[in-house]
Amino acid sequence: AQSVTQPDIHITVSEGASLELRCNYSYGATPYLFWYVQSPGQGLQLLLKYFSGDTLVQGIKGFEAEFKRSQSSFNLRKPSVHWSDAAEYFCAVGTNYGGSQGNLIFGKGTKLSVKP
Amino acid sequence: EAGVAQSPRYKIIEKRQSVAFWCNPISGHATLYWYQQILGQGPKLLIQFQNNGVVDDSQLPKDRFSAERLKGVDSTLKIQPAKLEDSAVYLCASSHGPSGYGYTFGSGTRLTVV
């Protein structure tokens, strides 16, 4: 069965420091992979997505992610974190099977705190 | 373009009561999803519509949850009767088509069952 694992429940980084959020997935076919961000009381905003091609994907707000098929990973990175990046981050894999297309399977999320 | 609209934003009900949530997707988006997000977890799909037909409702607790999408636009999700474990944020999302296009999520309805 498809699944997504985000090993880190909570990460704290200093403002200006680099960030890497880990994501591992289990999916039988070529995955569609996504990172979403959720601020308190808000819905989820798409940061970036991977379908195929270049394994390094650029997203909004200065984020990027690298797809590594051999490691079944899709880690999110940012070279310099801003205080406004404090939020919860969700990795997701998109499914496409049979007559059901489009549902996302999410990890449990990583909460990012930024200290001044 | 306007986003996905959901109402109400918050709802508190007693267990065994009923509740309904409303979602208006982005204009032209044929696919609509309802997700349940329990505190501390990622969202979980409840039901997926393609136009006004159900594509996937395998994880919808059909003994108490129901959803409809009349005329292929707005959608309503209902819970009757509610249980304590239904306390969660209910997110509606819409997309043009398959997951590759990415979703647009609404801000959600936070339900508390007491």
Side-chain angles (χ1 to χ4, degrees):
Chain A
Q2 299 91 347
S3 66
V4 175
T5 301
Q6 293 181 248
D8 304 305
I9 296 173
H10 190 187
I11 285 181
T12 300
V13 300
S14 297
E15 190 168 18
S18 63
L19 170 70
E20 182 169 27
L21 302 182
R22 296 182 291 165
C23 172
N24 293 97
Y25 68 90
S26 173
Y27 188 62
T30 301
Y32 294 159
L33 294 163
F34 304 82
W35 274 99
Y36 284 85
V37 61
Q38 186 176 38
S39 298
Q42 301 299 313
L44 293 116
Q45 181 184 21
L46 180 66
L47 286 175
L48 46 79
K49 55 190 175 185
Y50 170 80
F51 304 149
S52 63
D54 192 347
T55 56
L56 185 62
V57 180
Q58 301 298 320
I60 62 171
K61 303 184 179 184
F63 286 93
E64 67 179 25
E66 185 171 13
F67 170 59
K68 293 185 178 180
R69 184 185 298 275
S70 62
Q71 298 176 20
S72 297
S73 70
F74 189 57
N75 294 349
L76 181 72
R77 301 193 295 248
K78 186 169 185 178
S80 178
V81 170
H82 188 262
W83 64 266
S84 60
D85 294 325
E88 190 147 22
Y89 292 80
F90 292 92
C91 181
V93 61
T95 63
N96 187 342
Y97 55 90
S100 177
Q101 292 187 342
N103 37 311
L104 294 177
I105 295 172
F106 286 86
K108 292 188 176 182
T110 297
K111 182 177 181 180
L112 174 66
S113 297
V114 180
K115 57 183 181 182
Chain B
E1 101 187 324
V4 176
Q6 290 189 248
S7 67
R9 287 298 309 273
Y10 305 94
K11 191 74 177 178
I12 301 174
I13 62 172
E14 295 182 350
K15 59 183 179 182
R16 292 187 290 274
Q17 285 188 323
S18 63
V19 64
F21 313 127
W22 173 81
C23 173
N24 179 240
I26 290 175
S27 178
H29 279 192
T31 311
L32 185 148
Y33 313 82
W34 284 101
Y35 281 81
Q36 179 193 56
Q37 185 177 18
I38 294 173
L39 186 65
Q41 298 183 21
K44 182 187 78 171
L45 179 72
L46 290 176
I47 189 167
Q48 176 187 344
F49 291 94
Q50 183 74 18
N51 296 308
N52 61 345
V54 175
V55 175
D56 184 353
D57 63 356
S58 58
Q59 298 188 83
L60 187 73
K62 298 181 186 64
D63 57 333
R64 298 184 300 106
F65 285 65
S66 65
E68 61 182 7
R69 190 183 184 195
L70 300 177
K71 301 181 182 178
V73 182
D74 293 5
S75 178
T76 303
L77 176 70
K78 297 179 181 178
I79 308 175
Q80 182 179 13
K83 293 185 175 181
L84 296 177
E85 59 261 36
D86 298 331
S87 295
V89 176
Y90 291 85
L91 294 164
C92 180
S94 68
S95 70
H96 274 294
S99 62
Y101 294 97
Y103 292 12
T104 300
F105 281 88
S107 296
T109 295
R110 180 176 296 276
L111 173 68
T112 302
V113 182
V114 298

